[in-house]
Amino acid sequence: RLASTINRRSTAAIVTMYHKIERALSALVLLSMVPRCQMAVRDDSDRNNQHAWMPMPDGRFYHRTCIHHHPAPFSVEKMSRSRGSKVSTHLHKRLNAKDQSSTTLYPPCQFRPKSMVPTSDSTYPERLERAVEPQYYSDWSVYAQTSSPAGYEAMESAWTVPPPPMSSGPAGLSSVYLFNGLEDGGGHHGNATLILQPVLSFGKSGCVLDPARWHSWHLGAFLVDGNGRAHCGPQIPVEPGQKVVGRMQLIGPNQWNVTATAMSPSGGMNQTSSYTASLGDKVLIDAAYLTLEGMVIYKCAAYPPGGGTLFTDLTLLTGNGTLVKGAQSVQWTPEVRHSECGQRVIVSSAGVTLVYNSTSS
């Protein structure tokens, strides 16, 4: 009788355990059907992991799960802070092969982008900036800005790839961005929700993850989409002295085409990184920039040698149809957020020069 009782209890315990395991497996199956970025519960351990955050040229750090690399031209549609966005990538095949495309729906990122300015928050990157050296900063260093209440329909300018910086900072973490760009926000620093950018970059970034590529220049089309996500077009290796062109053009109802073109130095085929973005009817692109940005900058040697970067062949088309050509035809506002390297803005008939001295101590 005792043995029978033990057997019944053992059987009941096994059945109970079986049902617990079954319920747990069912929960795991349901959970696996939800993309990580859609989960309601955040992984705070990952949020506080310093390696999970990557710099982007809008002046903030983005979580690695919300930075997307596209090997071909891509398009972003239905951008919304509440609903997210739809991203399509288009792969062009060779002759006699069909083109391929893929579409992905991205909800707003669960990780809010982090400011580059040190705050009371103890998480990376602010902690990194305070820990390594007091003079550290990550910010738009110097830039020229203009705005139009009527908005803009196009912007284009060219500049030349400078020599590589003499210093890449501790552990190679310093990086530099040179770009022209368009934002909403009326030209007020920090007010924009998104930015359209053809970017020339040197060093570590969310779009250049391979450390072997941090010591050379790359050109690519960047997009920060207003949902806490960043998108990277193909990153084109470029050489000092090579001409690059950034162009942003309205091609439909608040639909933009953004291209970063590396001009062939030998007269061969140019290389282009590009995307299209549909911004919706609530966004007005009304601010234009020419910018030098520095990330994890602790001394002037982290900037390129040569004394500055000249932006030429400038064209702006306003929303009321006014076409402006030439730097002196635009009312530029110089913005110097950091001056330790002699940063300043010069507007001349040649173009707009962002001045910086990499040899300053």
Side-chain angles (χ1 to χ4, degrees):
R1 188 183 306 168
L2 178 61
S4 177
T5 300
I6 292 174
N7 286 337
R8 286 198 302 271
R9 290 178 177 176
S10 298
T11 301
I14 291 172
V15 170
T16 300
M17 181 63 70
Y18 172 81
H19 287 307
K20 288 182 178 179
I21 293 173
E22 186 178 43
R23 287 194 297 269
L25 289 175
S26 298
L28 286 174
V29 170
L30 290 172
L31 188 61
S32 67
M33 297 173 65
V34 181
R36 180 177 181 183
C37 56
Q38 289 179 308
M39 294 180 184
V41 179
R42 297 185 182 185
D43 182 356
D44 285 334
S45 62
D46 195 37
R47 179 182 183 273
N48 295 330
N49 177 4
Q50 64 177 9
H51 302 293
W53 296 91
M54 304 298 295
M56 294 297 292
D58 71 327
R60 294 182 292 179
F61 277 66
Y62 284 74
H63 197 270
R64 62 188 175 189
T65 59
C66 299
I67 300 175
H68 310 283
H69 298 79
H70 307 287
F74 65 98
S75 61
V76 179
E77 302 176 22
K78 297 181 179 179
M79 297 170 60
S80 165
R81 285 191 169 187
S82 60
R83 293 178 297 170
S85 55
K86 179 173 69 174
V87 179
S88 300
T89 303
H90 315 286
L91 294 173
H92 297 290
K93 297 297 184 179
R94 294 182 178 180
L95 187 64
N96 299 326
K98 292 183 178 180
D99 291 348
Q100 294 182 354
S101 62
S102 62
T103 300
T104 306
L105 295 175
Y106 291 107
C109 180
Q110 64 167 332
F111 300 102
R112 184 171 58 87
K114 293 180 176 292
S115 169
M116 301 298 186
V117 180
T119 68
S120 58
D121 186 358
S122 62
T123 58
Y124 184 86
E126 293 85 357
R127 184 179 68 247
L128 172 68
E129 295 183 3
R130 290 197 300 269
V132 180
E133 191 170 335
Q135 290 79 18
Y136 252 73
Y137 67 85
S138 294
D139 197 4
W140 288 19
S141 177
V142 58
Y143 60 95
Q145 176 268 130
T146 189
S147 60
S148 169
Y152 291 105
E153 295 185 0
M155 180 183 190
E156 181 175 336
S157 56
W159 63 105
T160 301
V161 180
M166 299 300 293
S167 172
S168 56
L173 294 179
S174 295
S175 55
V176 173
Y177 302 113
L178 286 160
F179 59 88
N180 58 352
L182 292 174
E183 287 186 344
D184 58 348
H188 302 289
H189 188 83
N191 281 5
T193 64
L194 58 90
I195 185 168
L196 312 174
Q197 296 171 289
V199 179
L200 176 66
S201 68
F202 186 96
K204 179 181 179 180
S205 82
C207 292
V208 182
L209 301 178
D210 184 356
R213 303 177 67 191
W214 290 355
H215 299 285
S216 58
W217 290 100
H218 293 85
L219 180 72
F222 287 50
L223 170 67
V224 173
D225 69 4
N227 296 311
R229 297 185 180 276
H231 301 272
C232 311
Q235 298 300 295
I236 305 167
V238 290
E239 299 294 332
Q242 190 171 353
K243 182 179 180 180
V244 299
V245 178
R247 179 178 177 83
M248 294 144 281
Q249 183 175 12
L250 190 68
I251 58 174
N254 221 6
Q255 183 180 37
W256 289 82
N257 178 249
V258 178
T259 60
T261 303
M263 309 299 291
S264 171
S266 60
M269 183 175 294
N270 300 329
Q271 293 180 280
T272 297
S273 174
S274 67
Y275 65 84
T276 60
S278 298
L279 307 185
D281 56 5
K282 296 182 179 180
V283 174
L284 175 65
I285 296 297
D286 57 3
Y289 298 89
L290 304 170
T291 304
L292 165 69
E293 180 178 353
M295 312 288 286
V296 194
I297 299 298
Y298 71 103
K299 60 181 179 180
C300 297
Y303 289 124
T309 296
L310 172 65
F311 287 83
T312 64
D313 305 325
L314 179 69
T315 300
L316 276 169
L317 178 62
T318 66
N320 57 17
T322 301
L323 179 64
V324 181
K325 291 187 176 183
Q328 292 181 311
S329 301
V330 179
Q331 185 175 352
W332 294 104
T333 300
E335 298 286 354
V336 179
R337 292 179 59 82
H338 300 272
S339 59
E340 80 288 357
C341 305
Q343 291 96 324
R344 58 196 176 101
V345 177
I346 297 177
V347 179
S348 67
S349 58
V352 176
T353 303
L354 303 180
V355 178
Y356 46 89
N357 183 359
S358 64
T359 63
S360 296
S361 57

